[in-house]
Amino acid sequence: MSCSFHLLVSRCSFYHGRFLLIWCRPSLLVRSLSAAPHISRSLKESYRLLQLPDEVHSSPAQVKEAYLRLAKLYHPDSGAATADAALFARVEEAYRSVLAHQSKTKQPDGGKEEEDEDKSRRAALQHRHYLSFDGVGSGTPSQRERQYRQIRVDRASEEVLNYRQKEHERAAASEGALVERDMRQRSHKIKITQAVERLVEDLIQESMARGDFRNLSGAGKPLNKFQHNPYADPMTHNLNRILIDNGYQPPWVVTQRDIREAVAHIRSRLLEGRARLSDPLTPSELSQWEQLCASVEEELVKLNKMVDNYNLIVPMLKMQMVHYSLSREIERAVKGVAQRRLDQQTEREKERERRKEEKKRANAVTKTKKNKQGLMSWMQTLLR
């Protein structure tokens, strides 16, 4: 009986241990499930719609890449065959949901570090105000601002001086007519002129500091210098004025001038060449005209390339130009020659009429003189 009891006890203890084992296993399972991040069914659908592997190993960069890939396929304005506005709206909503979920599941330490970094970036140093105006000047902020403006004007003047000097050197090197001594002398003259202008400006500033200009009628009143544009920056306006006064021109202005000159030259060639030929063209004149048109066509190809370059650098869209066509230019030249010949014929007719009137007037004067002379001779013979 003791053996059976021990056996029963052992069996009971065995079953009890099995029961405990079975009891512990669900607790471990529950603990593992509670440690995993809880994701709703809609969020899982969002991950599936974005074609992401899972929510644990998906980084923000992968989420963004997946969204951009799907946007190229389903965006209504993409022009693709798979474009679908409703599906794209679902993709965008899934993208926002995934981003919101990833922002919530970030590590608290990382968020704290980023927050501390933002606070350190926003913290302003005590000597921060000394870093304004590029560290130029001394005194109050208004005095430092005036000094900084003057330094900017001086820098712009120096840049203009260097630009003009380089342009002179480039022109001299291309033409080959100027020697180095002449270039040095011209650069020296330019520097002297710039130094005189600076001296005059310094004298004006000293006079203003002494109060020599306080007795003027407009002292203390605002300048009406920018009535056309009250929002214009005076510094930018003065810099542009200095550049213009020193001969600087933007590249698009120079290109526009070259285009106008080339067009005028081509049109004058066509007009003069067509005017030298008769109206019904003979075979020899026709060959000459075709040769002229062929040469003009080559020039028009270069001109149209120049127009393309101009359209790329022009600041305003309404100032862009269109290509010049050979047929339009030939038609323009033919009409111009016809109008010129018509004007010449009209002038000849007017000249002919004017000569007739002058001849009639001269004949009338001569006839009147003859009548007077005949009357005087008759009276003289009568008196005799």
Side-chain angles (χ1 to χ4, degrees):
M1 184 172 180
S2 60
C3 293
S4 62
F5 176 76
H6 286 292
L7 180 61
L8 180 62
V9 170
S10 62
R11 291 183 65 183
C12 291
S13 62
F14 171 77
Y15 284 111
H16 182 66
R18 186 177 180 182
F19 175 74
L20 291 177
L21 181 62
I22 295 173
W23 178 259
C24 292
R25 282 181 180 176
S27 64
L28 294 175
L29 181 61
V30 170
R31 189 179 303 171
S32 62
L33 290 175
S34 63
H38 181 68
I39 296 178
S40 62
R41 184 177 299 176
S42 60
L43 189 59
K44 290 182 179 180
E45 181 66 21
S46 299
Y47 275 99
R48 187 192 64 77
L49 188 60
L50 291 175
Q51 299 178 4
L52 294 172
D54 56 357
E55 61 279 3
V56 178
H57 300 89
S58 298
S59 62
Q62 293 176 351
V63 174
K64 184 176 181 181
E65 183 180 358
Y67 171 70
L68 293 178
R69 183 178 68 254
L70 294 176
K72 292 179 182 179
L73 293 176
Y74 303 124
H75 197 279
D77 299 334
S78 62
T82 58
D84 190 353
L87 187 56
F88 175 73
R90 292 178 56 195
V91 168
E92 187 175 7
E93 185 67 24
Y95 174 64
R96 293 179 181 176
S97 302
V98 170
L99 287 183
H101 175 258
Q102 288 188 350
S103 63
K104 291 179 181 179
T105 57
K106 281 185 177 179
Q107 295 295 333
D109 297 337
K112 185 176 180 181
E113 290 179 359
E114 291 181 359
E115 185 177 358
D116 295 340
E117 186 177 357
D118 293 339
K119 289 182 179 179
S120 64
R121 288 180 180 177
R122 290 195 297 268
L125 301 176
Q126 295 181 357
H127 62 280
R128 185 70 177 181
H129 61 281
Y130 290 105
L131 300 179
S132 59
F133 304 113
D134 296 339
V136 174
S138 60
T140 62
S142 59
Q143 293 176 354
R144 295 182 65 222
E145 182 179 2
R146 287 195 295 269
Q147 295 171 10
Y148 178 66
R149 288 184 177 181
Q150 184 63 35
I151 288 176
R152 285 189 63 188
V153 171
D154 294 340
R155 289 177 183 173
S157 303
E158 291 178 1
E159 292 293 334
V160 171
L161 176 63
N162 295 332
Y163 175 78
R164 292 185 63 185
Q165 184 176 356
K166 290 179 181 179
E167 288 295 326
H168 287 306
E169 292 176 357
R170 190 181 295 109
S174 61
E175 294 176 0
L178 300 177
V179 294
E180 185 179 358
R181 181 175 56 84
D182 296 336
M183 290 189 294
R184 195 178 299 114
Q185 289 178 356
R186 286 189 299 164
S187 301
H188 184 64
K189 290 180 181 179
I190 294 173
K191 290 181 180 179
I192 290 175
T193 304
Q194 191 70 21
V196 171
E197 291 179 356
R198 291 185 182 179
L199 177 61
V200 171
E201 183 66 25
D202 293 340
L203 293 176
I204 292 174
Q205 294 294 333
E206 291 178 1
S207 300
M208 291 175 62
R210 289 195 304 267
D212 296 341
F213 299 145
R214 294 177 182 175
N215 298 326
L216 298 177
S217 60
K221 298 179 180 179
L223 295 176
N224 296 326
K225 193 173 182 180
F226 306 103
Q227 290 182 352
H228 60 284
N229 187 8
Y231 302 103
D233 184 17
M235 177 60 65
T236 305
H237 177 80
N238 293 331
L239 291 176
N240 291 333
R241 179 179 57 81
I242 291 172
L243 293 174
I244 293 172
D245 293 342
N246 286 273
Y248 173 77
Q249 293 180 346
W252 66 271
V253 174
V254 179
T255 308
Q256 187 182 34
R257 182 194 61 191
D258 296 340
I259 290 173
R260 287 199 303 267
E261 293 177 355
V263 170
H265 175 67
I266 290 173
R267 288 176 178 175
S268 63
R269 280 191 60 190
L270 287 174
L271 189 62
E272 296 297 332
R274 188 64 181 85
R276 287 194 296 267
L277 304 176
S278 59
D279 196 359
L281 294 175
T282 60
S284 60
E285 291 178 346
L286 183 60
S287 62
Q288 294 178 5
W289 177 248
E290 289 177 352
Q291 291 178 1
L292 179 61
C293 292
S295 62
V296 168
E297 187 176 6
E298 295 178 357
E299 294 183 3
L300 283 177
V301 172
K302 299 179 181 179
L303 179 62
N304 290 331
K305 291 182 179 179
M306 195 183 303
V307 170
D308 292 336
N309 296 331
Y310 169 78
N311 291 335
L312 291 175
I313 61 177
V314 68
M316 288 182 287
L317 185 63
K318 65 180 181 180
M319 297 181 64
Q320 290 188 350
M321 299 181 180
V322 296
H323 284 186
Y324 291 89
S325 174
L326 179 62
S327 60
R328 289 198 300 266
E329 297 300 328
I330 291 175
E331 184 179 359
R332 183 188 182 95
V334 171
K335 290 182 179 180
V337 170
Q339 185 65 31
R340 178 187 291 184
R341 288 176 180 175
L342 184 60
D343 295 340
Q344 290 177 355
Q345 185 177 359
T346 306
E347 289 292 332
R348 286 195 295 268
E349 291 179 357
K350 289 182 179 180
E351 184 68 22
R352 193 179 299 112
E353 294 293 333
R354 187 178 60 80
R355 289 179 181 179
K356 286 182 180 180
E357 292 294 333
E358 290 180 356
K359 189 174 181 181
K360 288 180 180 180
R361 197 177 298 110
N363 292 334
V365 171
T366 305
K367 187 176 181 180
T368 304
K369 288 182 179 180
K370 288 182 179 180
N371 292 335
K372 289 182 179 179
Q373 290 177 0
L375 182 59
M376 292 295 294
S377 61
W378 179 76
M379 291 179 65
Q380 290 177 1
T381 53
L382 182 62
L383 293 175
R384 289 176 184 176

